[in-house]
Amino acid sequence: MRQRTSGPSDRPPPPTRHPPRAAALAARGLCVLIAGATAGCASLASPAAEVGADRMTDPRAVRDGGTLSIALKSDPDKLDPTLASTAVGRTVFAAMCEKLYDVDARNRFVPQLAAAPPTTSDGGRTVTIRLRHGVRFADGTRMDAKAVKTSLDRHRTLTGSVRASELKPVTAVEAVGDDTVRLRLKKPYVPLLALLADRAGMVMSPTALKRYGNGFASHPTCVGPFRYAERVVGDRIVLDKDPNYYDADAVHLRRVIYRTITDGNVRLANLQSGDIQVGDQMDPVQVGRALTEPGLQLFNSPSLGYYGLTLNIGNTKGAGAPPGRIDTPIAREVRVREAFDLSLDRDLINTIVFQGRYRPTCGPLPSGTPYATGTHCPARDPARAKRLLKAAKVATPVRVRLQISTTPEDNRLGQVIQAMAKEAGFAVSLAPTEFATGLEHSRAGDFQAATTNWSGRLDPAGNIDVFAGTGGAQNYGGLSDPAIDRLIAEGGTTADKAARKKIYAELVERVRAQHTVLYLIQPTNYVSVTKKVAGLKVFGDGLIRVKDAGYAKGGS
């Protein structure tokens, strides 16, 4: 069966709620083979509760005061915009580290710390940004052009910076007076605005940077509705309302606490008991249960990201370093990687692991966005996979060690992949690893294969360049292909949308042909919230925005 695909549209079509009979029977058969996957398989016997239309905001009036507790799916990495790389970290940053630009509910770039959209000159090689007036950091330091320059230069040059490869086209940053910043580029770079609407656009207090140096992550100081109070690693991050914030009168909550609760069932139980008020990244199993709870409400929006697998073919010295040689069948031979890809049934993975609430995919660009392509995914074909393994002259079963996180959904995904791949000639062993530790293994190249969950970016370069370009900061698979690098460069400098879309269509096919990242699922952002809370916002980037949030006036 070939997967249905479609071209770009304003909204992706709704996911399949009830699998066809053949798929359902296959799913039940596979569930029998997978010990421990009962939570993901049990609901196949009965229809899933309907989620309904996208819901990103709650306009109800809120009262001032109170503490909001938010449960995160994993523990954030360093609270340093230059060094951070986790989605849960971005959620925390959304409350305390504003950016030059932001993304709104309609996936448009809007000014945040900037006063207006950027202007370009010199054929696109000079970008000028005007800044807001009267802005102060959480420590009282004034935010001006010099402060912005300090942060951008740190992003570009600090050893270990994850932002350095993103901002590589920038050759110089100039402070022009107090309220204007000018960026000089080697050549026009279309994705720059998208980068400045993410961590590369976060501005840090120069006073704090000078005082704390490499210890800034333990004292993060930015501009935001809330300021850092404390962190207990693995347990909680506490933020308090910032009186120095330029729009402090519009902030209702007194405190926000982010708690790390990796198990979705436990997050839901804490929601039901009232110990937390917001559950981030709820997986589809908990979504179905939460829909029947009268005291809970659901926020849901189409994600810009993807679930997939990364296969290590050349990361021997760490992401970003020149690729080396790895002597495993899956690293040496593209036909082995293609066979592994052909062993997987994306529709069935969506049904069993994600309750049919997500969308199967085989590319990095999300449907419903301007650069989405009508990529045709190959149907599962174990027979062809075996022929490819025979042609590659590798001994079977091909052993693959798959690193998964310790969440129940990653456990289900790993076991489903294990069962599917076995039929095609692979012996997959699972290596459950705590999230932050797994991230370090991936960066260092200490893995054969690993599950990948990318929250996504609005500009197509944000879902491809750092993962597939030679030297990319998150190119954990060690892919290096001159043709891919050339297309990445062309995509970054081409402003015409039609021409740029053609470039990314070719680029996606080139990346897919290497079978280094196997794209499986385009998820949906699901956030469960008690009905006592209003004013929350969850857009396509999946970040929980708490600036306008609070407890609803008059109760639920």
Side-chain angles (χ1 to χ4, degrees):
M1 177 178 68
R2 183 171 293 278
Q3 179 180 316
R4 278 195 313 133
T5 58
S6 63
S9 61
D10 292 335
R11 286 276 183 253
T16 302
R17 302 298 183 192
H18 314 304
R21 178 173 175 78
L25 290 173
R28 291 191 182 100
L30 189 57
C31 284
V32 171
L33 298 176
I34 303 171
T38 54
C41 297
S43 65
L44 292 174
S46 58
E50 293 291 339
V51 169
D54 300 340
R55 183 169 183 266
M56 306 184 194
T57 62
D58 182 345
R60 291 179 296 154
V62 302
R63 56 180 171 84
D64 290 338
T67 297
L68 187 71
S69 293
I70 301 173
L72 301 176
K73 183 178 180 180
S74 56
D75 201 37
D77 56 349
K78 293 181 179 180
L79 295 180
D80 182 331
T82 305
L83 305 174
S85 59
T86 60
V88 285
R90 290 178 73 215
T91 289
V92 177
F93 283 136
M96 71 173 189
C97 285
E98 289 194 345
K99 304 154 289 189
L100 292 169
Y101 296 93
D102 198 11
V103 176
D104 70 6
R106 296 174 62 185
N107 283 337
R108 299 174 302 185
F109 295 115
V110 294
Q112 194 170 55
L113 294 178
T119 60
T120 59
S121 57
D122 189 26
R125 289 187 292 271
T126 300
V127 178
T128 302
I129 300 170
R130 289 194 300 110
L131 304 175
R132 278 182 179 267
H133 292 290
V135 175
R136 292 191 177 273
F137 294 99
D139 60 4
T141 301
R142 182 184 173 199
M143 192 204 80
D144 57 14
K146 288 183 180 179
V148 175
K149 170 180 165 57
T150 297
S151 286
L152 287 172
D153 283 343
R154 183 177 188 264
H155 290 324
R156 294 171 54 232
T157 63
L158 184 70
T159 300
S161 171
V162 184
R163 314 280 83 82
S165 63
E166 298 173 356
L167 294 174
K168 194 173 182 179
V170 178
T171 59
V173 181
E174 303 167 3
V176 183
D178 288 339
D179 62 358
T180 302
V181 177
R182 186 169 292 147
L183 280 63
R184 305 288 187 180
L185 281 64
K186 298 175 186 177
K187 50 190 175 182
Y189 191 57
V190 179
L192 181 63
L193 179 58
L195 294 171
L196 298 179
D198 195 4
R199 284 167 292 214
M202 292 179 186
V203 186
M204 298 161 281
S205 165
T207 302
L209 289 173
K210 184 176 181 179
R211 179 178 180 182
Y212 299 115
N214 293 334
F216 180 83
S218 298
H219 308 273
T221 310
C222 305
V223 177
F226 298 89
R227 63 184 180 185
Y228 178 83
E230 70 164 334
R231 178 176 192 177
V232 178
V233 175
D235 180 58
R236 65 184 182 273
I237 296 169
V238 181
L239 308 183
D240 289 332
K241 180 177 176 178
D242 183 6
N244 289 315
Y245 183 55
Y246 61 86
D247 198 19
D249 290 345
V251 179
H252 304 285
L253 291 165
R254 180 182 61 84
R255 171 171 283 187
V256 179
I257 301 175
Y258 297 90
R259 299 191 180 277
T260 300
I261 303 177
T262 59
D263 191 316
N265 292 312
V266 179
R267 288 201 298 280
L268 180 58
N270 276 262
L271 274 169
Q272 292 167 323
S273 69
D275 289 340
I276 64 170
Q277 292 76 51
V278 181
D280 187 25
Q281 298 187 59
M282 302 300 286
D283 81 74
V285 173
Q286 282 75 45
V287 168
R289 292 171 57 194
L291 286 171
T292 64
E293 288 287 329
L296 298 181
Q297 56 179 322
L298 183 70
F299 289 76
N300 58 292
S301 59
S303 170
L304 299 172
Y306 57 81
Y307 272 100
L309 303 178
T310 297
L311 309 180
N312 189 1
I313 67 170
N315 182 1
T316 58
K317 299 179 181 179
R325 185 174 184 273
I326 297 176
D327 193 21
T328 62
I330 210 159
R332 289 194 310 264
E333 176 61 70
V334 69
R335 287 175 291 186
V336 176
R337 300 195 295 276
E338 183 181 1
F340 194 71
D341 199 351
L342 286 169
S343 75
L344 306 178
D345 186 326
R346 289 163 170 81
D347 290 297
L348 209 51
I349 288 172
N350 186 39
T351 298
I352 295 174
V353 181
F354 303 112
Q355 308 293 284
R357 296 191 189 276
Y358 289 168
R359 179 185 179 88
T361 190
C362 56
L365 305 184
S367 60
T369 57
Y371 294 95
T373 58
T375 301
H376 290 284
C377 299
R380 181 174 189 256
D381 193 340
R384 185 179 170 212
K386 289 179 179 178
R387 292 196 296 271
L388 285 169
L389 294 180
K390 184 176 181 180
K393 298 180 180 179
V394 295
T396 54
V398 177
R399 301 193 178 279
V400 179
R401 187 173 183 268
L402 175 60
Q403 176 183 287
I404 61 174
S405 75
T406 53
T407 62
E409 55 268 30
D410 240 34
N411 183 55
R412 292 196 302 271
L413 177 60
Q415 292 187 64
V416 169
I417 289 171
Q418 188 179 50
M420 288 179 172
K422 182 177 181 180
E423 189 179 345
F426 293 88
V428 176
S429 60
L430 303 180
T433 309
E434 187 272 329
F435 177 76
T437 302
L439 189 61
E440 291 303 317
H441 285 322
S442 295
R443 285 174 178 157
D446 182 21
F447 75 103
Q448 282 188 312
T451 54
T452 299
N453 181 6
W454 179 240
S455 58
R457 301 296 184 272
L458 185 55
D459 189 277
N463 278 16
I464 299 177
D465 292 11
V466 296
F467 302 97
T470 301
Q474 297 186 69
N475 185 349
Y476 300 150
L479 174 62
S480 181
D481 183 323
I484 288 175
D485 294 340
R486 173 182 57 80
L487 289 166
I488 286 175
E490 289 180 7
T493 57
T494 302
D496 179 78
K497 288 187 177 180
R500 197 168 186 235
K501 185 169 182 176
K502 285 185 178 181
I503 291 169
Y504 280 102
E506 183 180 352
L507 176 55
V508 167
E509 292 307 311
R510 289 271 188 179
V511 172
R512 288 183 63 239
Q514 290 286 354
H515 300 282
T516 305
V517 180
L518 309 184
Y519 308 98
L520 301 176
I521 296 292
Q522 179 187 342
T524 297
N525 301 312
Y526 289 121
V527 176
S528 292
V529 184
T530 65
K531 289 184 177 179
K532 295 179 180 179
V533 173
L536 209 67
K537 297 177 180 177
V538 183
F539 300 155
D541 57 11
L543 305 183
I544 297 173
R545 289 166 166 82
V546 294
K547 175 190 171 183
D548 302 313
Y551 286 89
K553 287 184 177 180
S556 60

